[in-house]
Amino acid sequence: MSSYKPEDIESKWQEYWQENKTFKTPEDHDKPKYYVLDMFPYPSGSGLHVGHPEGYTATDILARYKRMNGFNVLHPIGWDAFGLPAEQYAVKTGTHPRETTQKNVDRFREQLQDLGFSYDWDREVNTTDPDYYKWTQWIFLKLYEKGLAYEDDVPVNWCPELGTVLANEEVIDGKSEVGGFPVVKKPMRQWVLKITEYADRLLEGLDDLDWPESTKKMQRDWIGKSIGANIDFKVSGYDEEIRVFTTRPDTIFGATYMVLAPEHDLVDKITTEDQKEAVKEYQEEAARKSDLERTELSDEKTGVFTGVSAINPATGEEIPILVADYVLVTYGTGAIMAVPGHDDRDWEFAKKFDLDIVEVVEGGDVSEGAYTDTEEGTMVNSENDDISLNGLSVDEAIERITNWLEDIGQGEKAVNYKLRDWLFSRQRYWGEPFPIIHVDGEPKPVREDDLPVTLPEMDDFEPTEDGEPPLAKAIDWVNTEDPETGKPAKRETNTMPQWAGSCWYYLRYCSPEFEDGPVDPDEENYWMPVDMYVGGAEHSVLHLLYARFWHKVLYDCGVVSTKEPFQRLVHQGMILGEVEFTGFKKDGNWISADIADEVEDVERVKLSEDQVEKQGDEFVIKDTEITVDSKAHKMSKSRGNVVNPDDIVDQYGADSMRLYEMFMGPLEQVKPWSTKDVDGVYRFLGRVWRLIIDEDSGELNESVTEASPSKEQLKVLHECIQKVTGDIEDLSFNTAISAMMIFINEANKWEEHPKPILEQFIKLLSPFAPHIAEELWRKLGHDESIAYVDWPEFNEEYLISDTQLYPVQVNGKVRGEIHVPREKAKNKEFVLSEAKSEENVKKYLEDGNLVKEIFVPERIVNLVVK
RNA sequence: GCCCGAGUGGCGGAAUUGGUAGACGCGUCGGACUUAAAAUCCGAUUGGCAUCCAAAUGCCAGUGCCGGUUCGAGUCCGGCCUCGGGUACCA
C-alpha cells in the first residue's frame, strides 16, 4: 500500500531542503531580485497559533513562485526576542530571560520548519544577540549624534505592577496592554527620540507606497498635521500673553472665552486669590483622573474660572479665561481661544457655563449648535476699525486675518502635529542597553569601538523600590570609567523598548554577517527595498512608522539607498475561532438572543451545530422560535478556542495546513477557522496523489503515459496555468487553489494522463503544497528539486475552443444559449440570427416587437422586445 | 460621535472593464464498491411553482433594506439598516 501519507514524505523533504541548503539566498546579483518579508515574530512561550502561518504561507508561496520565475529571492526569518514576558517569567521563576528566549525560539523554529517554509535559515537574526544589538546601539549613536535623541524629564505612564514605564500606545484605557495593570503618571528622566522632526517627510513618503489606503490614512491621522495660526492673547492686568494654536483664525471675532489645560504653566501665575482654591481642586481632580475617566466623562464638560480675563486682539473685548480638561496640555500650546459658535466642544462648554455665543460664520443656527462648515459659510460680525472679514469665504478670511495678526505682531501662520516625540526608554533588564555613560552627570556616547555594550549577568530582575531599572542593581556594571578622561562614569540603566530591534531587522537580513556596519552597502543596494511585506494590521501605525523613521535617518546617514523601506505592504486578515452557537437561559428557560442583553442573570449555553437551525436571517433552537447567537470569536486562551497548528499538521500534514489557510478566503479578510473544512484540501491532495501513484505498487499509475496530450487536455491545463499564475500575482490564493481542484476533477475523467501535463500541474501546485509536489516530481523521474524549475508558461492558443457560447437574453433575462462556430463568433448578423431562432427565445419574440438588439462580441446577446 | 471595511445558499466563499449569480470546498441527502465499516468514486443540493412515469424542461422570486441609472446591476449612483475594525475632546 502506498496511499498519500504526509507524515512519510514531509519530514523527508524538510530534511532534504535543510541538508542541501536548497533555499540559501543566491549570492550573485545577476538576476532580478525579490525581497519578500514576514513581520518579525515575537517568540512567545505559547508557540505558533494558526494566525501566524497565514501570512507566512502567503509569503512562502510568493517566494517559491518567484524563484521558479527566475528571481533571486530573499526570504528570511528571525526573532524579535527582547520583551517583557520573558522578564516577567524570570522575576517569577528565576529563569534567566536568555534561557526562556532560547527555548521559545527553538520551538518557533521547529514549528516553522514543520510547515515547510522556504526560509534561508543561514540568515536568521535575533535581536538579543550581541552581534545584532551592537548595531541597534550603533544606530542609536547616529540618532544621538544628529541630535535626534535627548533626555527629558517627562510624566510617563508608570506601571507599578510591571515596574516599568509604558509608551502611550501600550496603555489601553488606563491599564497596561500587557497584563491589564493600572498605570499612573509619574515624572521620570527618559530618553526621547525626535520623530517629530521627520513628521513632514513621514507624511510625504506615504504617497508613493503601495500600501492599503486605510493604513496610510491611519499613519496620516497619527501624524496629524494641521495648518493654522498661533495667536497671542494679552492677559488683562498681567504682563503675560497666552499663545493659542487654532486652525480657524478666521473665527477670532467669535472667540468669547479662553481655556487653559489644567497643567498649563500660566494657570498658577494668573489665577486670582479668590479662585485659587477652586482651581487647585480642579487641577488635582484632573490629575487623578486616568485617561479613561477623562474620556468616559466626556459627555459632561467640566471647568473652572481663573478670575482673570484676556483681551481678544480682534474685538478688543475682555473675555474670561477658564481652566478645563477638555483642553489637552500635550497638543498645540495647551491653551485655546474658544469659539462656541463654530466649534462643537466650545459650544457644549459655553452652553453649560452660560458663556456668550457669537455667530461669525453665516450658514447655520448657532443657537442650535456649532456651525463648523468651512465650505459654504460666509463671514459676518467680523469687523474692527482696522480690518473686516465680512462677506469673505472661510479660506479667504483665514488668509486675511493671519496676515493682519502678523502685521500687528500678535500672531503668525503655524503648523501643528499630533505626533509627539517617541519615548524611547524602558525600566527593564531584557532590552538593548543604551550605549551611553554619564560623566559628571552628563550623558556621553560610548565609543563605536567599544560596542556592543552587553547586558550584565544578573539573577534578580526586579526594579529597585524607587522605580530605578533592574540594571541599577548591577553595581559593577554601572560603575565604569570614561575611557577618554579616565573619570568615573555611570552607565545608563534604562534599556531600549522592543520596537528598537524591529526598526531595522529587514536591513540585517541583507547581510547578517557583515562586520563593518549594520548592512553591507552592496547587498543593501541590491536587495532593498522590501518588495512585499506581509503582517498584521495591528502594526499599521507604530512599528511601521518607527521603522520608516529610522530608515529615513539611516538614509540621511548614507547607510541605506532608499527613502522608504517597504514598497508594498499587505495585512493578512485575522483568523477567528470556530463559529459558536450560544443560547440564553433565564431561570432555566430559553430566551431569545435579542432580548438577552436586557435581562439580568442570564446563563449562556454553548450549543452544537445540530441543536440549531436557520430561520430567516437568524439561527434558532431547533423546532422553536428562540433565536441564538451565532458568531466566530477571536481566538483566546480564556475562551478555549485556540487552534494549534501542530495538531493540524499531525492530523492532515503541513501541505494540507498550508493549503487550507490559503483556501479559507481572501488573504486580507477576517475568516473563521473550521477544522472539518481541512478535509476538503486534504482530499484534494489525496486525489492528486492517486492520479499519479498506484496505491498498490507505489509506482506511477499505468494511466501516466508518454503519449502526447490531447487538445482538450492542453486546454484544461492551460486554463489552470493562466488562472493560478494570475491569482498568485493578485494574491488570490483561494481561487488559485480552486482552479487546481478544477484541473484535478477534470483530469480524473481522463483515461490517459500524459506526463508533460502532470508535470506542469505539479509545478503549479508546488508553491502551495511543496512536500507532495517534491515527492511526485521525483516519482515522475526528476533528480533535481522542483524549487528552481521553470514556472509553466501559459499559451493562449490552447484556450480557444471550436465554438463560442452565447447566452441569449430577452429583456435582460436569459432565455436560451447558442453555440456558434469559432470562425463566426464575431459575426454579429450570424450570431443574432442564430439567437433569434433559438427555440425558447422564439416564443418571446412572437409576443412582441423586437425594438433593439445588443451584441457584445464573445459575451452575450440581448434582445429587447416590447 | 467620527473614519475605514464588509453584508451573496445550511456554512467558508466564487463571479474581467456592468454581461448566464452561487465556481471551488465543507455539510447534508441519494447511489456504487464492501459481509460490514472506513476510505474512495458517482449524482443531487437557493427557494417556490408548473409539465411529467421519469429523465428533463420551463416559469417566478432571489446577492442586507428602499429608490435610481441602464438593453442588462452582486458590481454604478442616492438614502438607510446591521455587523466587524480603528479612533477618541488633537482646537
Side-chain angles (χ1 to χ4, degrees):
Chain A
M1 280 296 278
S2 190
S3 55
Y4 172 50
K5 289 204 200 81
E7 64 273 25
D8 289 351
I9 59 174
E10 292 186 344
S11 54
K12 178 174 90 188
W13 290 112
Q14 285 159 11
E15 280 161 31
Y16 173 92
W17 295 328
Q18 288 272 100
E19 281 165 20
N20 290 277
K21 296 210 184 286
T22 307
F23 302 114
K24 189 173 169 49
T25 312
E27 274 163 22
D28 71 88
H29 293 178
D30 304 336
K31 293 185 193 169
K33 65 95 183 180
Y34 191 75
Y35 186 176
V36 51
L37 181 64
D38 296 298
M39 277 189 191
F40 216 20
Y42 172 73
S44 73
S46 39
L48 286 182
H49 57 82
V50 292
H52 284 112
E54 188 191 11
Y56 300 165
T57 305
T59 52
D60 198 59
I61 290 167
L62 285 171
R64 289 173 182 271
Y65 168 76
K66 289 286 181 183
R67 285 189 199 103
M68 294 172 80
N69 277 280
F71 286 78
N72 278 343
V73 171
L74 177 55
H75 184 41
I77 192 79
W79 319 106
D80 187 13
F82 276 127
L84 194 51
E87 184 161 329
Q88 283 175 301
Y89 187 73
V91 168
K92 239 188 282 173
T93 65
T95 315
H96 195 285
R98 191 184 304 113
E99 280 176 42
T100 313
T101 303
Q102 191 54 50
K103 217 177 89 201
N104 293 348
V105 163
D106 290 344
R107 170 104 196 277
F108 259 68
R109 188 190 302 110
E110 197 180 314
Q111 284 186 300
L112 291 181
Q113 288 177 344
D114 282 350
L115 286 162
F117 294 131
S118 62
Y119 294 119
D120 176 357
W121 289 101
D122 291 347
R123 292 190 182 228
E124 189 179 339
V125 303
N126 184 326
T127 53
T128 66
D129 182 346
D131 287 339
Y132 181 92
Y133 70 68
K134 169 179 179 178
W135 298 109
T136 310
Q137 292 172 338
W138 185 87
I139 295 170
F140 178 83
L141 289 180
K142 293 291 151 197
L143 287 155
Y144 185 82
E145 280 166 27
K146 287 187 154 301
L148 293 166
Y150 62 98
E151 284 180 294
D152 195 13
D153 266 311
V154 276
V156 295
N157 302 301
W158 170 250
C159 179
E161 302 278 339
L162 297 176
T164 189
V165 163
L166 302 171
N168 283 330
E169 306 80 61
E170 292 167 315
V171 182
I172 294 168
D173 297 341
K175 294 200 167 127
S176 62
E177 187 182 10
V178 181
F181 303 115
V183 172
V184 296
K185 293 271 179 196
K186 178 178 170 183
M188 278 183 111
R189 184 187 59 81
Q190 299 291 318
W191 283 96
V192 183
L193 298 187
K194 239 185 238 174
I195 189 171
T196 50
E197 198 154 292
Y198 280 70
D200 266 322
R201 285 167 67 188
L202 289 168
L203 209 49
E204 285 157 18
L206 289 171
D207 293 342
D208 300 323
L209 296 178
D210 186 4
W211 286 22
E213 272 314 311
S214 57
T215 304
K216 289 201 214 178
K217 194 177 178 313
M218 281 169 76
Q219 294 224 341
R220 289 195 183 103
D221 289 350
W222 189 266
I223 295 166
K225 178 177 186 171
S226 41
I227 299 167
N230 285 330
I231 306 176
D232 297 318
F233 285 65
K234 290 199 166 69
V235 181
S236 188
Y238 289 82
D239 189 21
E240 296 281 357
E241 288 192 333
I242 299 174
R243 168 158 281 218
V244 303
F245 172 74
T246 177
T247 54
R248 295 293 306 276
D250 58 305
T251 60
I252 188 166
F253 285 89
T256 54
Y257 65 100
M258 300 192 77
V259 183
L260 302 177
E263 302 87 351
H264 196 284
D265 288 342
L266 273 181
V267 175
D268 293 337
K269 283 195 199 160
I270 62 169
T271 304
T272 58
E273 223 27 69
D274 47 336
Q275 288 296 318
K276 270 237 152 78
E277 202 172 320
V279 168
K280 189 146 185 72
E281 200 173 301
Y282 184 77
Q283 283 176 314
E284 280 167 6
E285 209 175 294
R288 267 202 309 277
K289 280 192 210 171
S290 65
D291 288 345
L292 172 68
E293 287 166 317
R294 279 209 193 183
T295 51
E296 256 186 0
L297 303 171
S298 64
D299 311 337
E300 269 301 284
K301 293 240 178 324
T302 58
V304 57
F305 182 42
T306 58
V308 188
S309 297
I311 298 172
N312 183 326
T315 62
E317 279 171 23
E318 294 218 346
I319 54 177
I321 304 171
L322 295 101
V323 177
D325 67 1
Y326 82 92
V327 172
L328 309 173
V329 74
T330 46
Y331 182 77
T333 60
I336 61 158
M337 65 173 204
V339 185
H342 306 284
D343 181 284
D344 292 319
R345 297 151 299 181
D346 297 343
W347 190 89
E348 214 180 291
F349 189 79
K351 274 282 169 201
K352 182 159 178 211
F353 289 87
D354 206 20
L355 295 152
D356 291 343
I357 300 175
V358 175
E359 179 179 58
V360 292
V361 186
E362 201 171 43
D365 178 0
V366 298
S367 64
E368 287 298 312
Y371 178 67
T372 56
D373 196 310
T374 55
E375 302 284 314
E376 300 284 317
T378 32
M379 307 306 300
V380 292
N381 300 327
S382 296
E383 184 169 37
N384 60 29
D385 294 344
D386 240 20
I387 186 175
S388 171
L389 304 177
N390 291 342
L392 298 180
S393 71
V394 168
D395 286 345
E396 290 166 333
I398 289 175
E399 175 86 23
R400 180 102 40 110
I401 193 72
T402 309
N403 289 337
W404 182 76
L405 286 164
E406 259 171 49
D407 289 345
I408 65 164
Q410 294 219 48
E412 70 207 1
K413 194 170 175 192
V415 175
N416 239 295
Y417 299 91
K418 257 160 78 172
L419 184 69
R420 291 173 223 158
D421 277 345
W422 174 13
L423 181 67
F424 193 67
S425 41
R426 300 290 185 271
Q427 288 63 52
R428 288 178 192 161
Y429 171 77
W430 198 227
E432 297 88 347
F434 281 86
I436 292 284
I437 53 174
H438 296 266
V439 188
D440 300 330
E442 289 298 312
K444 184 171 182 180
V446 170
R447 294 179 309 182
E448 222 178 290
D449 292 345
D450 295 335
L451 297 183
V453 177
T454 53
L455 284 167
E457 283 306 316
M458 293 180 76
D459 46 23
D460 170 12
F461 307 101
E462 294 204 64
T464 64
E465 269 169 30
D466 50 353
E468 284 288 302
L471 284 180
K473 295 183 181 170
I475 314 272
D476 293 344
W477 181 85
V478 171
N479 292 308
T480 178
E481 74 176 23
D482 179 357
E484 277 166 18
T485 63
K487 282 188 186 173
K490 283 189 184 297
R491 289 193 187 279
E492 172 65 54
T493 55
N494 284 310
T495 53
M496 300 188 202
Q498 206 183 344
W499 306 109
S502 62
C503 269
W504 72 282
Y505 73 107
Y506 57 90
L507 291 173
R508 195 65 189 162
Y509 286 139
C510 296
S511 53
E513 310 286 336
F514 191 61
E515 290 180 0
D516 301 326
V519 60
D520 181 337
D522 287 342
E523 299 296 323
E524 187 279 333
N525 226 332
Y526 179 64
W527 290 112
M528 287 301 289
V530 174
D531 297 285
M532 172 65 77
Y533 194 25
V534 177
E538 65 274 19
H539 296 113
S540 288
V541 176
L542 300 173
H543 159 62
L544 288 166
L545 193 69
Y546 293 156
R548 291 181 60 225
F549 166 48
W550 278 35
H551 194 85
K552 286 183 185 299
V553 174
L554 291 173
Y555 177 83
D556 292 345
C557 295
V559 173
V560 300
S561 59
T562 64
K563 290 188 178 174
E564 288 286 338
F566 315 118
Q567 190 50 41
R568 179 153 188 216
L569 169 73
V570 170
H571 300 301
Q572 81 275 19
M574 203 194 324
I575 295 182
L576 305 174
E578 302 250 1
V579 172
E580 294 170 27
F581 297 98
T582 312
F584 299 91
K585 266 185 171 175
K586 170 75 180 169
D587 303 330
N589 300 313
W590 293 110
I591 58 169
S592 274
D594 39 317
I595 58 166
D597 274 355
E598 294 137 38
V599 183
E600 280 175 32
D601 303 323
V602 175
E603 189 194 346
R604 305 170 71 91
V605 185
K606 224 180 191 181
L607 300 167
S608 70
E609 213 184 317
D610 38 86
Q611 287 173 282
V612 299
E613 62 184 347
K614 184 99 178 198
Q615 197 177 86
D617 287 339
E618 295 181 288
F619 278 90
V620 296
I621 296 171
K622 243 182 198 166
D623 305 319
T624 72
E625 301 274 312
I626 299 155
T627 59
V628 300
D629 202 36
S630 142
K631 217 174 168 182
H633 301 266
K634 209 168 160 169
M635 284 191 196
S636 70
K637 262 190 208 157
S638 57
R639 192 171 270 281
N641 62 348
V642 175
V643 178
N644 183 343
D646 297 349
D647 298 339
I648 305 299
V649 172
D650 285 348
Q651 202 179 336
Y652 297 98
D655 283 336
S656 291
M657 172 72 190
R658 294 169 57 115
L659 225 36
Y660 174 66
E661 292 235 356
M662 294 298 101
F663 188 63
M664 289 171 83
L667 180 63
E668 300 186 56
Q669 203 166 295
V670 178
K671 307 165 276 275
W673 179 270
S674 168
T675 297
K676 71 169 193 240
D677 283 10
V678 183
D679 281 332
V681 292
Y682 178 74
R683 283 178 203 151
F684 162 68
L685 291 178
R687 284 201 290 276
V688 173
W689 183 267
R690 287 190 301 276
L691 187 75
I692 296 173
I693 303 298
D694 182 286
E695 293 193 88
D696 294 327
S697 66
E699 297 304 313
L700 291 182
N701 268 325
E702 279 176 22
S703 73
V704 178
T705 67
E706 301 291 341
S708 30
S710 72
K711 223 174 149 187
E712 167 65 15
Q713 289 171 330
L714 284 168
K715 179 165 183 274
V716 171
L717 173 70
H718 280 262
E719 274 171 351
C720 189
I721 296 174
Q722 183 188 32
K723 186 81 176 127
V724 172
T725 307
D727 283 351
I728 291 177
E729 297 280 351
D730 292 345
L731 311 183
S732 300
F733 304 115
N734 54 331
T735 50
I737 294 166
S738 134
M740 290 189 280
M741 289 172 165
I742 291 170
F743 172 89
I744 286 299
N745 291 346
E746 286 299 314
N748 258 324
K749 298 174 191 160
W750 303 337
E751 291 190 353
E752 292 209 320
H753 298 106
K755 246 189 192 173
I757 298 271
L758 296 177
E759 286 172 343
Q760 296 292 72
F761 172 77
I762 293 302
K763 289 186 200 172
L764 296 178
L765 179 64
S766 67
F768 296 83
H771 309 88
I772 189 175
E774 195 82 79
E775 179 75 18
L776 291 174
W777 185 245
R778 303 309 169 102
K779 296 252 188 200
L780 285 165
H782 299 274
D783 298 333
E784 293 297 317
S785 167
I786 197 170
Y788 291 93
V789 302
D790 285 341
W791 187 254
E793 223 165 290
F794 156 66
N795 187 340
E796 192 152 23
E797 261 173 54
Y798 298 122
L799 294 198
I800 300 165
S801 60
D802 296 343
T803 59
Q804 171 74 45
L805 168 77
Y806 274 100
V808 181
Q809 297 182 330
V810 178
N811 293 338
K813 289 198 164 142
V814 179
R815 298 302 181 184
E817 314 185 312
I818 53 169
H819 293 268
V820 301
R822 169 61 44 204
E823 62 275 16
K824 290 189 173 165
K826 288 181 182 168
N827 183 330
K828 181 174 177 180
E829 274 165 41
F830 177 82
V831 174
L832 284 175
S833 84
E834 286 290 297
K836 282 184 260 185
S837 49
E838 204 275 341
E839 277 309 308
N840 199 43
V841 172
K842 251 200 257 177
K843 290 191 295 197
Y844 292 89
L845 297 182
E846 282 160 10
D847 293 345
N849 296 322
L850 185 60
V851 295
K852 199 170 180 185
E853 297 167 341
I854 311 282
F855 171 74
V856 185
E858 296 182 311
R859 264 275 131 86
I860 206 162
V861 170
N862 190 7
L863 304 170
V864 186
V865 172
K866 269 190 182 160

